[in-house]
Amino acid sequence: MNKPSRVLTIAGSAAGGSAGIQADLKTFQELDVYGMSVVTAIVGRHPITNKNVHPQTIEAIEAQFSTANNQVGFDAIKTGMLFSKEVIEKTAELLSSIAIKNIIVDPVMVGKLDSKLLKDDAIDALKNKLIPLSTVITPNMSEASILLDDRKLSSVDDLKQAAIDLHKLGPDFVLVKGGRLEGPAVDVLYEGTTLTTFEAPRINTVNTSGAGCTYSAAITAYLAKGKSIHDAVLLAKNFITTAIEHSFTYTDQVGPTYHAAERKYGEAHSIIVQKDSVS
Ligand code: PXL
């Protein structure tokens, strides 16, 4: 049998199923990679106490990682919500203890439903311990801004400069996602010498919960399958654009993207790709 590529997500459980571990595993399944998980925290709001983030112990995190590594092994590892400095440091240690080619760091900080998914004192550990180990980081505009000491980002040119500057933290590649700009959804990939913009049409919906997780999970799946970063981003951008186009909600709350959309409806979009050399 042709075995599927192996992919691990180290992230939070999002009880509503749209984001975090749940979004990652759904995306992995859609793209035919073998998904595994290390749950770092459980996100779910208690109806009486209002508590929303329930962190897991370092021991539980190590146990999950060790089990997945011993039973299966990894072609790519994605990180999402890590929450604390201690978990980031442990994750960096675990990633350094194995030979792994593809590390995708999605620097998750705040959820769409306004939960704090990363403590303030964890930003330095993210910058100094985890990001330097990564193949690619996938910040959105507000995450990129925080990683750059609260720099204001308000245009595609700002995103390009942000990608170049974030590359200095040590990842091989940087993808800054410009979904929050006005106009089309433009993301910028910096590969060290080339800057590439990927532009998709804007889809007018509020139901984009977990879109960042899903996009980054799709990039992870394609890298695990051996695609180049350029092709992984292009294919993943198509996957998330189609998933957003077919997003929905069951209630009056912000709903999920539709992870099965590309399989059901095919690729609906042409992404406009533009490459520039940077001297
Ligand atoms: O979409 C960001 C995100 C990531 N991870 C977890 C989440 C959320 C948003 O709610 O709950 C676990």
Side-chain angles (χ1 to χ4, degrees):
M1 183 211 167
N2 212 349
K3 296 181 202 167
S5 300
R6 305 156 299 175
V7 178
L8 176 75
T9 172
I10 305 177
S13 163
S18 58
I21 291 273
Q22 287 79 357
D24 291 348
L25 291 177
K26 288 173 194 185
T27 303
F28 296 160
Q29 188 63 24
E30 287 300 327
L31 297 177
D32 189 24
V33 293
Y34 183 86
M36 295 163 279
S37 60
V38 169
V39 179
T40 57
I42 294 171
V43 178
R45 196 171 295 284
H46 190 279
I48 295 165
T49 64
N50 215 27
K51 185 173 166 184
N52 198 24
V53 174
H54 308 265
Q56 300 300 292
T57 61
I58 295 290
E59 191 188 9
I61 289 166
E62 283 180 307
Q64 296 171 83
F65 184 88
S66 168
T67 301
N69 187 32
N70 293 333
Q71 285 183 8
V72 181
F74 314 118
D75 295 304
I77 298 181
K78 167 186 189 251
T79 68
M81 174 191 181
L82 299 174
F83 193 55
S84 69
K85 178 169 173 280
E86 292 73 22
V87 174
I88 291 169
E89 286 172 354
K90 179 51 71 179
T91 301
E93 185 192 314
L94 292 169
L95 294 178
S96 305
S97 73
I98 57 168
I100 171 81
K101 193 161 153 242
N102 298 301
I103 298 177
I104 297 79
V105 172
D106 189 22
V108 170
M109 296 182 189
V110 184
K112 290 234 162 50
L113 303 174
D114 222 20
S115 313
K116 205 167 169 102
L117 304 176
L118 186 72
K119 291 182 176 170
D120 293 338
D121 69 354
I123 307 274
D124 283 348
L126 195 59
K127 282 166 82 164
N128 301 324
K129 300 263 167 66
L130 191 58
I131 289 178
L133 303 176
S134 68
T135 311
V136 59
I137 59 171
T138 60
N140 62 26
M141 285 169 60
S142 46
E143 292 156 355
S145 162
I146 290 169
L147 291 171
L148 292 166
D149 304 318
D150 297 320
R151 182 188 299 178
K152 192 167 172 298
L153 303 174
S154 51
S155 66
V156 174
D157 282 343
D158 289 352
L159 301 192
K160 289 182 178 175
Q161 192 58 50
I164 292 169
D165 292 339
L166 287 170
H167 189 256
K168 295 174 190 151
L169 292 174
D172 296 335
F173 313 118
V174 178
L175 180 70
V176 183
K177 300 175 291 188
R180 293 174 195 188
L181 287 175
E182 305 249 302
V186 180
D187 306 324
V188 175
L189 175 68
Y190 184 55
E191 294 179 62
T193 47
T194 29
L195 268 172
T196 309
T197 55
F198 296 84
E199 177 183 320
R202 169 151 313 269
I203 295 156
N204 194 9
T205 176
V206 295
N207 297 318
T208 57
S209 175
C213 307
T214 300
Y215 188 10
S216 186
I219 294 170
T220 307
Y222 283 117
L223 288 176
K225 291 181 185 216
K227 297 287 183 198
S228 67
I229 186 65
H230 177 278
D231 290 354
V233 170
L234 182 57
L235 290 162
K237 177 103 171 143
N238 231 306
F239 183 90
I240 187 58
T241 306
T242 310
I244 293 173
E245 185 181 38
H246 296 279
S247 64
F248 56 92
T249 183
Y250 293 107
T251 64
D252 58 355
Q253 297 197 22
V254 171
T257 71
Y258 189 27
H259 297 94
E262 194 176 81
R263 167 164 55 87
K264 278 184 86 165
Y265 305 113
E267 285 182 16
H269 301 284
S270 45
I271 309 293
I272 302 165
V273 179
Q274 266 178 322
K275 226 171 200 159
D276 296 322
S277 284
V278 181
S279 45

